[in-house]
C-alpha cells in the first residue's frame, strides 16, 4: 500500500455515535406476556393485564400530544415525544437488565444449594426460606416488573408512530472528542502554556 492511499483513508473523519436504546433491546431482556404469566403463576404473583398496560400508555401519550397540540409546532412535538418515549424505553431496558442479573444470581445460588457438600447454602431455619429461594423470588418479582415496563414502552412507541407519523427510533448523539479525557485536555492546555 502506498503512502498516499494510507493518508487519504486516515483523513476521512468518522463521527462515532452514542447508540440509543431500542425497543428491540428491551424485548431481548424483558419477559414477554407468556413468560410473565408463567413467572406469575409459578411464584404466586399477580398476573398482569399486559394489553391493558400497553393500551393505557398508548392512550396516555396520544392524550398528552392532543393536549399540547396547540402549544407546540410539529417539530417541537416530535422532539418532545422522542424524549418521552426514550425515557419509557430506557426505563424498561434498565429493568430488563436488572432482571437478567437477578436471574443469573438466582441460578448461581440454586446451583450452589444443590451441592450437598456446602454448608453455607443450606435451607434457613424452620419458617425461613433459603438464600437461593429468596433470590428466585426476587428474580420473579423483577421479571414481572420488567414485563410491565416493557408493555408501557411498547404502548409509548405505538403512540409515537400514530402522533408523529413515523416509526420511533432512539436519538443518537455524536460523541464529543472521542478518546479525549479531561486529563488529556488539561495536559494539552498546560503544555501549550509552557510554550
Amino acid at each position: 500500500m502506498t503512502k498516499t492511499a494510507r493518508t487519504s483513508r486516515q483523513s476521512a473523519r468518522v463521527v462515532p455515535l452514542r447508540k440509543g436504546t431500542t425497543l428491540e433491546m428491551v424485548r431481548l431482556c424483558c419477559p414477554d406476556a407468556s413468560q410473565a404469566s408463567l413467572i406469575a403463576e409459578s411464584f404466586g404473583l399477580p398476573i398482569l393485564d399486559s394489553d391493558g398496560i400497553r393500551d393505557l400508555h398508548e392512550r396516555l401519550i396520544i392524550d398528552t400530544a392532543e393536549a399540547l397540540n396547540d402549544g407546540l409546532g410539529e417539530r417541537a412535538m416530535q422532539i418532545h415525544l422522542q424524549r418521552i418515549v426514550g425515557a419509557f424505553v430506557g426505563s424498561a431496558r434498565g429493568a430488563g437488565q436488572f432482571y437478567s442479573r437477578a436471574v443469573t444470581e438466582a441460578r448461581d445460588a440454586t446451583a450452589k444449594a444443590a451441592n450437598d457438600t456446602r454448608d453455607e447454602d443450606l435451607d434457613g431455619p424452620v419458617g425461613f426460606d433459603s438464600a437461593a429461594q429468596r433470590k428466585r423470588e426476587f428474580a420473579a418479582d423483577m421479571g414481572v416488573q420488567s414485563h410491565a415496563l416493557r408493555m408501557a414502552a411498547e404502548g409509548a412507541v405505538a403512540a409515537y408512530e400514530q402522533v408523529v407519523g413515523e416509526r420511533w427510533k432512539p436519538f443518537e448523539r455524536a460523541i464529543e472528542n472521542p478518546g479525549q479525557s479531561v486529563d488529556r485536555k488539561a495536559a494539552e492546555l498546560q503544555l501549550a502554556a509552557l510554550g
Side-chain angles (χ1 to χ4, degrees), residues 184-195:
R184 186 172 180 184
K185 290 177 187 175
E188 287 175 6
L189 289 172
Q190 289 172 342
L191 288 176
L194 295 172

Side-chain angles (χ1 to χ4, degrees), residues 44-121:
L45 299 172
I47 296 176
L48 300 178
D49 177 12
S50 302
D51 293 334
I53 293 170
R54 184 188 184 285
D55 294 344
L56 175 72
H57 284 82
E58 186 175 350
R59 283 193 315 272
L60 173 74
I61 300 298
I62 290 170
D63 290 347
T64 300
E66 287 174 0
L68 292 172
N69 201 27
D70 291 336
L72 296 179
E74 188 176 312
R75 182 70 178 138
M77 178 70 76
Q78 182 180 10
I79 291 169
H80 177 68
L81 293 179
Q82 167 72 28
R83 291 174 177 156
I84 290 174
V85 173
F88 276 102
V89 172
S91 177
R93 180 162 186 239
Q97 290 173 322
F98 192 78
Y99 163 67
S100 296
R101 283 190 298 272
V103 168
T104 300
E105 289 177 13
R107 284 188 177 138
D108 290 347
T110 301
K112 288 177 185 175
N115 185 349
D116 293 333
T117 61
R118 292 177 55 101
D119 289 337
E120 64 266 19
D121 297 317

